Amino acid sequence: RLMPVECERLQGFPDGYTLVPYRGGMMKDGPRYKMLGNSMAVPVVRWIGERIAMVEALAASPPAAEGSA
């Protein structure tokens, strides 16, 4: 089983990102796994966003003139 810190790293979060105060102590591992399971991997979302921006930029640029090389 992966440790919460390993799951944070896989998701692209910094170490200890989900280790937050909860009811007078630090959050237990179970809810941390749940938070990480409900999140999206930051590097993947960034990659998708960059690709969308790239396609939008291509769609907004004027078409190339035919016959020019």
Side-chain angles (χ1 to χ4, degrees), residues 29-63:
D29 287 352
R32 292 176 70 190
Y33 286 118
K34 192 171 188 175
M35 285 192 298
L36 290 162
N38 288 330
S39 66
M40 295 186 193
V42 176
V44 174
V45 173
R46 181 180 300 121
W47 183 87
I48 291 170
E50 289 170 354
R51 294 312 179 270
I52 290 171
M54 186 187 312
V55 169
E56 290 293 323
L58 287 173
S61 64

Side-chain angles (χ1 to χ4, degrees), residues 6-28:
E6 294 169 319
C7 293
E8 290 168 342
R9 291 174 184 166
L10 287 170
Q11 291 281 61
F13 296 112
D15 290 0
Y17 188 76
T18 60
L19 187 58
V20 296
Y22 181 70
R23 295 186 180 176
M26 297 311 282
M27 186 171 285
K28 304 262 187 229

